[in-house]
Amino acid sequence: MTDADAAAPAPDAESGAKAEARWLERGVALRAFFYIFGTHVFAGFVYLLFFLGEHAKK
């Protein structure tokens, strides 16, 4: 094995990098979905509290 062979990237390394990039993109998309979903659930809960407070018998 020469120095040139050791410095050249393996063909699998490029496909591995692409797979890792797709995995990271999927993780970011999943995290964004859960953050958006969680924010809407929390906002709905706060809205429910205001609605119930407005219609409470005082």
Side-chain angles (χ1 to χ4, degrees):
M1 183 189 275
T2 65
D3 290 336
D5 292 336
D12 293 335
E14 185 175 322
S15 64
K18 287 181 183 180
E20 184 177 353
R22 278 182 288 182
W23 181 79
L24 289 174
E25 288 176 8
R26 187 177 303 141
V28 169
L30 189 63
R31 193 175 312 126
F33 171 76
F34 280 116
Y35 288 160
I36 293 168
F37 179 76
T39 301
H40 281 82
V41 169
F42 179 71
F45 177 70
V46 171
Y47 179 80
L48 178 66
L49 291 179
F50 277 103
F51 180 82
L52 293 176
E54 182 180 338
H55 293 87
K57 294 180 182 179
K58 297 180 183 177

